[in-house]
Amino acid sequence: MLHLRAITPKDRTDDVCGLLGESLGVTNVVVLPGAARQPVGDLVMCDVAREAVNEVIDGLRRLGLEDEGSIALERIDVSISHVAEAAEENAPGHGDDAVVWEEIDQRTEEEARFTWSFAAFLVLATMLAGIAAIIDSSILVVGAMVLGPEFGAVAAISYGLIRGDLRRIGRALGVLAAGFAVAIVVTFVCALVGRWTGVIAVDQLPAHRPQTGFVYRPDRWSFIVAVLAGAAGVLSLTAGKSSALVGVFISVTTVPAAGNVAVALALDHNGEIWGSVVQLGVNLAGMVVAGTATLLVQRAAWALVRKRRTA
């Protein structure tokens, strides 16, 4: 269940309550007349089954609450109520399968911004990946994958493609390009300093690396894994399954490839640079393709569910 809070102009409170009353997935409706001060209006609260929230938000928007009032949603961790259980049963589909499009819209909008925290996490992850390449450590590769924050921008590109939002796509591409550029440059400089000071020897990046050699040797499996990871990542975002998203991070070699580019440049292992760049591009492309396809399938599936309900 989700908790919905709406501030409504007084002349539209009855219409809002009527809309909520018509939805089978809405319960626990509370109205506090004149409670809102900024913006001025009545406060209407209710609990909504996740699978019914999209049509409720669409209805509130048609009533003008987006412009002249306010709409907010928050997750309910525990709900002890028979009427809430009935609302979930009456709503079409299943809550775990439902996509709250407004939630995805705002989440991907935030991910399509270049922030210092994004850059910091990507730099740290890429440096870990660089160390993993030098000492041929699969454990550090996994750690770098988990730490990398790039999937949010990938999801923003996928969402932008299904919405035709060129601005969001451009911003997300810029975030990825700038983030990886900064991370590679910082890791390259650190590796170069390590080489000059003797901390890193040139022969510490051997041509044969049984644990991490896959990072710069892309093949058909690289794209297949990226496609599967992209689909799983979008599903984890739309269903709110953060534990599944961690598995996605461990599956793709974007950050390890970036780290390998940096140390290969610093240690003059030019033969690995192009393969790492291709690996990075293949993984990003595979995730975008799969993420876009997954969102399209989810949108079509829920349109069919709503159509059957109204038939």
Side-chain angles (χ1 to χ4, degrees):
M1 296 291 288
L2 297 174
H3 183 68
L4 184 145
R5 184 182 71 250
I7 296 176
T8 75
K10 292 184 178 181
D11 60 346
R12 259 161 284 181
T13 301
D14 290 340
D15 293 332
V16 169
C17 292
L19 170 71
L20 299 178
E22 292 173 359
S23 176
L24 297 177
V26 174
T27 189
N28 298 330
V29 180
V30 177
V31 180
L32 300 177
R37 293 293 181 265
Q38 183 61 35
V40 175
D42 299 333
L43 178 60
V44 179
M45 298 180 290
C46 65
D47 295 337
V48 188
R50 184 181 177 88
E51 53 270 42
V53 75
N54 288 313
E55 63 182 38
V56 171
I57 291 178
D58 290 343
L60 295 177
R61 279 179 159 169
R62 287 194 297 270
L63 291 174
L65 264 63
E66 183 179 12
D67 299 319
E68 301 177 58
S70 176
I71 306 169
L73 283 171
E74 57 186 352
R75 192 184 307 274
I76 298 176
D77 293 326
V78 178
S79 176
I80 305 173
S81 169
H82 289 299
V83 292
E85 292 176 0
E88 287 186 311
E89 292 176 359
N90 292 331
H94 193 281
D96 283 345
D97 298 329
V99 181
V100 181
W101 292 106
E102 189 60 39
E103 179 183 32
I104 301 303
D105 181 84
Q106 293 193 12
R107 191 166 180 177
T108 56
E109 179 70 18
E110 293 174 359
E111 298 289 355
R113 295 191 178 105
F114 187 84
T115 62
W116 288 112
S117 60
F118 174 87
F121 276 115
L122 194 54
V123 166
L124 293 172
T126 304
M127 292 180 71
L128 273 179
I131 297 172
I134 293 171
I135 65 175
D136 193 30
S137 170
S138 58
I139 294 176
L140 286 182
V141 166
V142 172
M145 289 174 174
V146 175
L147 191 58
E150 74 279 6
F151 187 78
V154 172
I157 294 172
S158 297
Y159 184 76
L161 286 171
I162 73 165
R163 293 291 300 270
D165 190 344
L166 297 180
R167 182 188 64 86
R168 188 176 312 219
I169 296 170
R171 286 177 55 186
L173 286 172
V175 166
L176 288 174
F180 277 112
V182 170
I184 289 173
V185 168
V186 172
T187 305
F188 167 76
V189 171
C190 291
L192 206 58
V193 171
R195 178 182 178 183
W196 290 341
T197 58
V199 175
I200 300 173
V202 176
D203 59 2
Q204 284 184 288
L205 194 58
H208 179 65
R209 305 208 313 262
Q211 298 297 320
T212 59
F214 67 93
V215 169
Y216 60 91
R217 290 198 297 265
D219 54 23
R220 64 183 183 277
W221 294 109
S222 300
F223 185 76
I224 293 171
V225 169
V227 167
L228 296 175
V234 167
L235 285 173
S236 69
L237 286 177
T238 56
K241 302 291 186 182
S242 58
S243 58
L245 191 56
V246 172
V248 172
F249 294 155
I250 298 174
S251 302
V252 292
T253 52
T254 49
V255 168
N260 203 72
V261 169
V263 295
L265 282 169
L267 302 180
D268 295 329
H269 284 258
N270 297 328
E272 297 183 9
I273 296 173
W274 175 245
S276 300
V277 171
V278 172
Q279 180 76 272
L280 176 60
V282 164
N283 275 271
L284 290 175
M287 286 192 292
V288 168
V289 169
T292 304
T294 302
L295 288 172
L296 286 172
V297 169
Q298 288 180 300
R299 186 169 67 177
W302 274 100
L304 183 61
V305 169
R306 295 179 67 175
K307 184 178 180 180
R308 285 183 176 178
R309 179 190 170 191
T310 56

